[in-house]
Amino acid sequence: MFKKNLILLVILACAILLGSSANSSAQTNVSGNITSNTTWTLAPNPPNNNGSPYIVTGNIIVNAVLTIEAGVEVKFAGNYSFTVNGTLNAAGTATQRIKFTSNQSTPARGDWDKILLTNDSSSLDYCQIEYANVGLQLSGLG
């Protein structure tokens, strides 16, 4: 009986470890033009299991509505910019901030360029912007 329970316990422990490591290592590489309404989710989302963190591997240009869920991390893998010509709805909370940061192992200021908002239709609530060259830039707002 003891041996059977021990085997079941080991199987259960392995299943938990494999499940948690699969979720914690999930990442989504992003770059280029966003031309249709899109949501960046915290948890992996079927069918393609996109989820946080979002690794920016090239400049991003938003020409639609991009919604970023609370708790999502956006990590820049180089000196890339994030230009919003459409709408960015980044609604973090006090306990689940949205973080725009570096993807470098030793982050430093200037690891990535900036978030550029070209109109006044975006909102950023409880967002943390770190290790950027410029951070947040407003252009053409009237």
Side-chain angles (χ1 to χ4, degrees):
M1 182 68 150
F2 175 76
K3 186 175 180 180
K4 183 178 177 181
N5 287 343
L6 181 62
I7 291 171
L8 288 174
L9 184 61
V10 169
I11 290 171
L12 179 61
C14 288
I16 291 170
L17 288 174
L18 289 174
S20 66
S21 68
N23 288 339
S24 65
S25 66
Q27 72 178 36
T28 305
N29 293 338
V30 291
S31 67
N33 294 325
I34 297 174
T35 57
S36 60
N37 294 350
T38 303
T39 300
W40 289 359
T41 60
L42 179 60
N45 199 6
N48 52 12
N49 289 326
N50 289 343
S52 184
Y54 288 82
I55 309 299
V56 178
T57 59
N59 291 326
I60 299 279
I61 302 171
V62 179
N63 289 309
V65 177
L66 174 61
T67 302
I68 302 178
E69 291 183 349
V72 166
E73 285 188 312
V74 180
K75 296 181 172 187
F76 290 78
N79 191 30
Y80 304 120
S81 61
F82 191 107
T83 303
V84 181
N85 299 321
T87 301
L88 174 61
N89 293 322
T93 67
T95 57
Q96 284 192 300
R97 296 181 183 277
I98 296 170
K99 186 186 286 189
F100 296 88
T101 189
S102 169
N103 194 42
Q104 303 303 315
S105 57
T106 306
R109 181 172 182 209
D111 281 350
W112 61 283
D113 192 27
K114 66 183 168 246
I115 299 171
L116 172 63
L117 303 178
T118 64
N119 62 58
D120 60 1
S121 65
S122 294
S123 65
L124 287 83
D125 297 313
Y126 291 101
C127 292
Q128 180 176 336
I129 300 171
E130 59 187 21
Y131 304 114
N133 183 39
V134 174
L136 183 63
Q137 182 177 347
L138 310 175
S139 175
L141 303 179

